[in-house]
């Protein structure tokens, strides 16, 4: 029987971000935070693809909840960044990077980090779409229940 190598020998579940000449190592999140991030990402991908997303158990993030999400994603590094007087835009960038690392993967996080937080870096990518596809329940069939939707006519004047 084949014996697997110990996970600790090759698996690094931390994320290191260089900020203002210092490296901050973000620890792996707890399962609750990881699942929350994945569910938020699934909802975002579904919305970006024009699909309905069940957000009944997820409230929209207000400013305090957004800050709490960054705190949860950054773990102990959040307090370290505050103590080092790192500016809010940099903390926010680190928080979003950590969110993407947790919700999608390291490649998505690196793309966002290296793009300087540009909106294009947040566009749904294949990895994010795969996360949503693999964990979202398929929609039920609607065949035979409603006729196809007709194209709407313009309400403007015709010439």
């Amino acid at each position: 029987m084949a014996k697997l190598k110990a996970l600790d020998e090759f698996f690094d579940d931390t994320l290191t971000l260089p900020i203002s000449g210092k490296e901050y190592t973000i620890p792996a999140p707890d399962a609750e935070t990881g699942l929350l991030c994945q569910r938020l990402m699934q909802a975002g991908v579904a919305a970006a693809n024009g699909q309905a997303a069940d957000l009944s158990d997820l409230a929209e993030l207000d400013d305090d909840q957004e800050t709490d999400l960054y705190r949860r994603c950054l773990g102990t590094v959040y307090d370290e960044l505050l103590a080092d007087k790192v500016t809010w835009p940099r903390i926010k960038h680190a928080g979003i990077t950590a969110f993407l690392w947790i919700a999608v993967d390291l490649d998505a996080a690196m793309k966002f980090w290296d793009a300087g937080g540009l909106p294009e870096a947040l566009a749904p990518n294949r990895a994010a779409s795969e996360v949503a596809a693999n964990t979202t329940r398929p929609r039920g069939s609607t065949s035979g229940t409603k006729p196809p939707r007709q194209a709407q006519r313009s309400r403007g004047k015709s010439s």
Side-chain angles (χ1 to χ4, degrees), residues 114-153:
D114 290 342
L118 299 176
E120 305 86 62
L122 287 176
N125 61 26
R126 196 171 105 210
S129 296
E130 287 173 3
V131 168
N134 290 334
T135 56
T136 304
R137 291 189 321 226
R139 297 172 71 186
S141 171
T142 58
S143 62
T145 58
K146 290 185 181 179
R149 191 177 208 182
Q150 299 294 321
Q152 291 182 340
R153 293 187 149 192

Side-chain angles (χ1 to χ4, degrees), residues 6-121:
L7 190 59
D8 294 340
E9 291 180 26
F10 62 90
F11 189 77
D12 182 13
D13 58 356
T14 63
L15 175 67
T16 302
L17 301 176
I19 302 172
S20 302
K22 181 176 176 180
E23 289 192 344
Y24 295 87
T25 300
I26 300 164
D30 58 39
E32 184 180 328
T33 299
L35 292 171
L36 171 65
C37 290
Q38 286 189 335
R39 291 175 52 235
L40 287 170
M41 178 58 75
Q42 290 168 9
V45 170
N49 290 327
Q51 299 170 342
D54 180 13
L55 300 175
S56 59
D57 59 337
L58 294 174
E60 284 189 36
L61 296 178
D62 62 21
D63 289 344
D64 290 337
Q65 291 166 322
E66 180 182 3
T67 300
D68 184 57
L69 181 62
Y70 296 150
R71 182 184 302 275
R72 289 176 72 174
C73 290
L74 292 169
T76 56
V77 167
Y78 183 86
D79 291 328
E80 190 177 351
L81 291 165
L82 290 178
D84 289 346
K85 305 226 183 296
V86 173
T87 63
W88 177 247
R90 290 172 185 253
I91 293 173
K92 185 175 179 179
H93 188 74
I96 295 170
T97 300
F99 170 82
L100 290 169
W101 168 61
I102 295 166
V104 184
D105 61 18
L106 180 59
D107 289 338
M110 289 174 60
K111 181 178 178 183
F112 177 80
W113 181 265
D114 290 342
L118 299 176
E120 305 86 62

